[in-house]
Amino acid sequence: MIGLIDCNNFYVSCERVFRPDLNGVPVVVLSNNDGCVISRSNEAKALGIKMGLPYYQLLELPFGKEVKVFSSNYTLYGSLSNRVHSILRRYVPTVEDYSIDESFLDFSSIEHYITDLFQLGIEIRKAILKEVGIPVCVGIAPTKALAKAANKYAKKETKEGVYLCKEDTQTVLKWTEIGDVWGIGRQYENALLKLNITNAWQFAQLPEKYVLQKMTVVGHRLWKELNGISCIEMELETPDKKNMVVSRSIPRSLTKYEDVENAVFKHIDTLAMKLRRQKQCTSSISVFVHTNRFRTQDKQYYNSFKVPLLKASNNTTTLIRVAKVGLQKIFKPGFNYKKCGVMAFDLCPENVLQGSLFSVAENDKSNTAMHVMDEINKRYGYKVTRIAAHGFLHKAHMLINHISPCYTTELDDILTIKI
């Protein structure tokens, strides 16, 4: 049996952990640069606030100013997510951290000792709520796809927030709309709706041969999962990435080369840090810039340039030099740049590097300095130390006008209790 733990309205729930006054109040969390709504409380959903609603449109609504608004606080969310995942591993040894707010549990190793998985789900749910303060729902079924459907059913249709879908899968599958089936994209959804297939049960009753012909191997695998045949394995280790991108929209358009350069170097700093954390190096760097396509009154421009490295690296100073070459190739004055970013290609393990005849070994002191910088940032806070090349540009910094404190990671933000 497979279980799926899903945190309810996760970002909003994280904000409520340390703000009980927000319970029962409509709350939303905004995307980067306070752009649009990406998490809503049930009260906000009841008001008709849609996912992806731009923030300025929210303010224009009659009840807009009554809604509590927060900027994304990923440091807080990541910290609470780690606490939830650690609790899950107390109950089940095999856990796949599917996302920041979802985890798959493999009960196969403990089913001989646990006679009531439904009760175990309730116990896990109570432990997470008591120790972290995050409400979760639990779906338990023979396969991953069925566990996904059971989790949604538990959230919408049960008081306990737990649903065990063992033999009677028909109830859940008939309740699950075809567009809500895990792995069914919009293209497949439209195609199936044309065949009057509106729910997961109807899809599961299609002939196997027909599904294999029309929906290839991926659709066939999903069909088997919905019919109780497990064929999507647990991913206990995150596979190594082949590429990596770091980019972000800029709150205020940039026109000067120096400002865009500083923003690009900031992304390179983040990219190099992520590479070192994953013990990987990149063999080439691509830099891109573009204007705001929504401002039709402005001149539009988009370009990118890829620069190969003679030897793969994750050294920030090396990657900054490479990125500078790429940016100089594509930057043009006279444009209002709204977004820039960097991409790393052909990633490889840092302990298996092949140089070329013309490559020069990086300075050992420089590599040591990178790792020391990482340790300082890990211990004292994100980017306490940084490479001076990306400066302290405020124009490219994110808009976080509604950010909450980092209650669990910053000493200055720890709650004080008056007795």
Side-chain angles (χ1 to χ4, degrees), residues 114-149:
I114 303 296
T115 57
D116 192 344
L117 289 177
F118 177 80
Q119 192 59 41
L120 177 62
I122 291 179
E123 187 177 340
I124 292 173
R125 188 173 186 268
K126 287 182 178 179
I128 295 173
L129 185 61
K130 179 180 179 180
E131 299 180 35
V132 187
I134 300 293
V136 304
C137 286
V138 184
I140 305 173
T143 69
K144 276 187 167 183
L146 284 173
K148 270 274 193 178

Side-chain angles (χ1 to χ4, degrees), residues 244-250 254 259-271 284-291 302-307 319 322-324 326-328 330 337-345 396:
M244 187 181 296
V245 59
V246 177
S247 67
R248 187 157 290 159
S249 296
I250 302 167
L254 305 179
D259 293 340
V260 178
E261 182 185 69
N262 285 344
V264 168
F265 288 172
K266 180 181 179 181
H267 293 328
I268 283 289
D269 194 12
T270 301
L271 176 70
S284 58
I285 290 291
S286 176
V287 181
F288 68 86
V289 295
H290 64 73
T291 53
Y302 170 84
N303 207 347
S304 64
F305 193 85
K306 186 176 181 180
V307 185
L319 299 186
V322 173
K324 187 171 184 177
L327 181 61
Q328 289 174 341
I330 61 176
Y337 293 99
K338 183 61 177 177
K339 189 173 185 178
C340 63
V342 293
M343 291 180 281
F345 295 94

Side-chain angles (χ1 to χ4, degrees), residues 9 12 16 25-31 35-70 156:
N9 309 324
V12 168
R16 282 176 164 174
V25 176
V27 181
V28 299
V29 175
L30 304 176
S31 62
C36 58
V37 174
I38 58 172
S39 183
R40 304 161 295 161
S41 67
N42 291 334
E43 296 80 8
K45 294 176 184 178
L47 290 174
I49 298 175
K50 302 296 184 182
M51 186 70 81
L53 178 72
Y55 178 44
Y56 75 89
Q57 291 185 9
L58 174 63
L59 294 177
E60 294 173 354
L61 296 176
F63 50 80
K65 295 184 179 180
E66 300 175 9
V67 178
K68 298 295 183 182
V69 177
F70 290 90
K156 301 286 187 179

Side-chain angles (χ1 to χ4, degrees), residues 105-275:
L105 312 179
D106 186 353
F107 294 113
S108 59
S109 61
I110 63 171
E111 282 187 79
H112 297 294
Y113 310 100
I114 303 296
T115 57
D116 192 344
L117 289 177
F118 177 80
Q119 192 59 41
L120 177 62
I122 291 179
E123 187 177 340
I124 292 173
R125 188 173 186 268
K126 287 182 178 179
I128 295 173
L129 185 61
K130 179 180 179 180
E131 299 180 35
V132 187
I134 300 293
V136 304
C137 286
V138 184
I140 305 173
T143 69
K144 276 187 167 183
L146 284 173
K148 270 274 193 178
N151 183 279
K152 289 186 178 180
Y153 187 84
K155 186 178 296 185
K156 301 286 187 179
E157 299 294 330
T158 69
K159 295 180 180 179
E160 301 88 355
V162 179
Y163 188 76
L164 176 60
C165 178
K166 194 171 185 179
E167 296 174 352
D168 179 23
T169 62
Q170 186 173 340
T171 301
V172 169
L173 293 180
K174 285 186 175 180
W175 178 85
T176 305
E177 295 181 5
I178 191 64
D180 292 333
V181 175
W182 185 41
I184 294 291
R186 183 168 297 179
Q187 185 175 356
Y188 279 144
E189 178 188 3
N190 293 334
L192 291 170
L193 288 175
K194 290 179 181 179
L195 299 174
N196 292 321
I197 297 172
T198 60
N199 59 49
W201 172 254
Q202 293 173 330
F203 172 67
Q205 300 309 301
L206 286 174
E208 183 176 2
K209 185 177 180 180
Y210 177 86
V211 174
L212 189 56
Q213 288 177 343
K214 298 296 183 179
M215 301 183 67
T216 67
V217 176
V218 176
H220 180 234
R221 186 186 303 150
L222 177 60
W223 178 88
K224 292 174 70 175
E225 285 263 326
L226 294 179
N227 281 285
I229 304 171
S230 180
C231 55
I232 302 179
E233 300 293 332
M234 296 282 288
E235 294 185 6
L236 304 182
E237 294 184 5
T238 305
D240 291 338
K241 295 181 179 180
K242 298 299 181 182
N243 304 311
M244 187 181 296
V245 59
V246 177
S247 67
R248 187 157 290 159
S249 296
I250 302 167
R252 303 168 188 83
S253 298
L254 305 179
T255 56
K256 296 181 180 179
Y257 172 82
E258 293 78 10
D259 293 340
V260 178
E261 182 185 69
N262 285 344
V264 168
F265 288 172
K266 180 181 179 181
H267 293 328
I268 283 289
D269 194 12
T270 301
L271 176 70
M273 180 184 65
K274 289 184 176 181
L275 288 172

